[in-house]
């Protein structure tokens, strides 16, 4: 480690993820404006805010789907600003809840096996022996069990209920052995029963990991998250635990006029 890197690591304390002055402009429009985000190792951290606040853009910057206009991203103290998605995934920073992560015409078990094989990459040949294939099946079943999908092992993904598909995506993400998971609206489009199940699932898989999630459902946020960052018009408006953030007049004002947020708050 160079002296610079050592200083960098020391300065970043216990943060799993940190941004410094993160900014994204689209043709002069500032979608993300000088955001300093600090996600504590081991926390479930929520990124919330009204529509158009810049949440998805922040996620796209963190997972390198978009290059930042300015600013820095550090993962476990290491600068990752100029790295590629697959590089940071290999370092343990993995984004979940992308529908594309599962194949509709494979069974749940096959999907997890594909994810496990992808993780193994060049060591794929190792799995060609029969004994190793047994291992692969065993691990895939373990992961399905972990997300409550053991009974769906042989079901085609296309035939699974929506909430169960999202759980399968978690299993394929876990196959990559993430240290930190980025969850993009994990409960989006779900009924109450599925939401409860996903909340329990996130609680379970967050053990020993760090989670950063964009979530519109404030009841989910209040039940799960250790810390919350509120974005509004690209900037950090407030930060803290659920109680302090939800009683902050600035946050209430920013959410006003956003019916969706008010409805969700009423449910919380
Ligand atoms: N590729 C792009 N080109 C131009 N403007 C963009 C682009 N992507 C996002 N924006 C703008 O940046 C702002 C932030 O968008 P973003 O999708 O990050 O918000 P969000 O907080 O995720 O909102 P929502 O809650 O509706 O998902 C919006 O005004 C949006 O129109
Ligand atoms: Mg969004």
């Amino acid at each position: 480690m160079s002296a610079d890197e050592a200083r960098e690591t020391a300065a970043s304390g216990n943060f799993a993820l940190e941004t410094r002055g993160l900014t994204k402009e689209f043709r002069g429009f500032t979608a993300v404006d000088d955001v300093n985000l600090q996600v504590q190792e081991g926390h479930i951290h929520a990124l919330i805010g009204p529509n158009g606040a810049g949440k998805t853009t922040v996620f796209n910057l963190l997972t390198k789907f978009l290059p930042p206009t300015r600013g820095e991203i550090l993962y476990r103290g290491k600068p990752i600003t100029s790295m590629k998605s697959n590089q940071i995934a290999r370092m343990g920073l993995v984004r979940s809840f992308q529908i594309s992560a599962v194949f509709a015409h494979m069974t749940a078990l096959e999907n997890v096996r594909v994810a496990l094989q992808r993780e193994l990459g060049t060591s794929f040949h190792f799995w060609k022996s029969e004994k190793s294939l047994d291992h692969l099946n065993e691990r895939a079943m373990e992961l399905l069990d972990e997300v409550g999908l053991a009974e769906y092992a042989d079901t085609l993904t296309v035939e699974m209920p929506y909430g169960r598909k999202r759980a399968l995506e978690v299993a394929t993400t876990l196959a990559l052995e993430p240290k930190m998971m980025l969850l993009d609206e994990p409960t989006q489009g779900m009924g109450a029963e599925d939401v409860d199940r996903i909340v329990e699932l996130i609680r379970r898989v967050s053990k020993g990991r760090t989670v950063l999630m964009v979530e519109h459902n404030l009841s989910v946020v209040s039940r799960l998250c250790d810390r919350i960052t509120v974005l509004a018009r690209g900037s950090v408006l407030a930060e803290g635990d659920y109680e302090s953030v939800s009683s902050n007049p600035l946050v209430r004002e920013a959410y006003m006029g956003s019916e969706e947020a008010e409805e969700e708050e009423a449910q919380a």
Side-chain angles (χ1 to χ4, degrees), residues 128-153:
K128 279 190 170 168
S129 85
E130 203 137 319
K131 189 154 172 285
S132 306
L133 276 173
D134 284 348
H135 265 295
L136 194 59
N137 278 331
E138 217 172 276
R139 180 71 188 127
M141 267 316 291
E142 257 172 39
L143 286 169
L144 281 181
D145 202 33
E146 198 173 338
V147 302
L149 288 181
E151 63 189 290
Y152 286 89

Side-chain angles (χ1 to χ4, degrees), residues 26 29 31 50-57 185 216:
F26 296 109
F29 171 75
N51 294 116
K55 305 177 297 293
T56 297
T57 307
E185 302 201 30
H216 272 294

Side-chain angles (χ1 to χ4, degrees), residues 27-260:
R27 298 168 185 233
F29 171 75
T30 310
V32 174
D33 192 359
D34 196 21
V35 167
N36 301 307
L37 192 64
Q38 295 177 328
V39 181
Q40 195 85 37
E41 190 93 53
H43 268 188
I44 303 182
H45 193 124
L47 189 59
I48 69 167
N51 294 116
K55 305 177 297 293
T56 297
T57 307
V58 166
F59 256 43
N60 286 337
L61 294 169
L62 293 177
T63 51
K64 329 308 295 182
F65 289 177
L66 281 175
T69 307
R70 277 186 298 284
E72 257 192 295
I73 307 168
L74 293 105
Y75 170 64
R76 302 183 129 209
K78 289 193 186 65
I80 58 163
T81 320
S82 50
M83 288 187 185
K84 300 215 163 63
S85 301
N86 58 347
Q87 267 178 299
I88 61 170
R90 240 176 281 133
M91 292 167 77
L93 177 59
V94 180
R95 181 177 185 162
S96 180
F97 296 109
Q98 292 162 276
I99 296 293
S100 60
V102 292
F103 300 103
H105 294 284
M106 287 187 187
T107 66
L109 187 72
E110 284 165 349
N111 262 301
V112 179
R113 275 180 36 175
V114 166
L116 283 168
Q117 281 168 334
R118 197 187 313 146
E119 156 71 1
L120 293 166
T122 50
S123 58
F124 174 76
H125 294 287
F126 168 71
W127 298 101
K128 279 190 170 168
S129 85
E130 203 137 319
K131 189 154 172 285
S132 306
L133 276 173
D134 284 348
H135 265 295
L136 194 59
N137 278 331
E138 217 172 276
R139 180 71 188 127
M141 267 316 291
E142 257 172 39
L143 286 169
L144 281 181
D145 202 33
E146 198 173 338
V147 302
L149 288 181
E151 63 189 290
Y152 286 89
D154 299 321
T155 306
L156 283 181
T157 305
V158 68
E159 282 160 9
M160 290 166 68
Y162 178 72
R164 301 302 178 125
K165 261 183 233 168
R166 304 300 296 264
L168 178 59
E169 284 164 15
V170 175
T172 61
T173 306
L174 291 175
L176 305 180
E177 306 200 346
K179 294 189 182 80
M180 175 164 185
M181 296 172 85
L182 301 179
L183 308 180
D184 205 347
E185 302 201 30
T187 68
Q188 189 187 25
M190 283 185 187
E193 199 182 314
D194 279 341
V195 168
D196 287 348
R197 206 182 288 130
I198 287 285
V199 165
E200 282 322 305
L201 177 56
I202 293 171
R203 211 193 296 281
R204 201 160 356 114
V205 302
S206 69
K207 295 264 181 318
R209 297 193 169 93
T210 308
V211 174
L212 176 64
M213 58 196 280
V214 170
E215 180 57 62
H216 272 294
N217 185 326
L218 295 181
S219 152
V220 170
V221 171
S222 73
R223 280 187 276 168
L224 274 179
C225 299
D226 300 295
R227 204 166 171 85
I228 298 157
T229 299
V230 186
L231 274 190
R233 295 191 194 154
S235 302
V236 175
L237 183 67
E239 199 167 69
D241 61 14
Y242 186 78
E243 210 156 279
S244 80
V245 159
S246 61
S247 61
N248 184 325
L250 287 175
V251 175
R252 296 188 155 264
E253 198 180 314
Y255 265 85
M256 275 204 332
S258 163
E259 280 170 44
E260 194 185 5

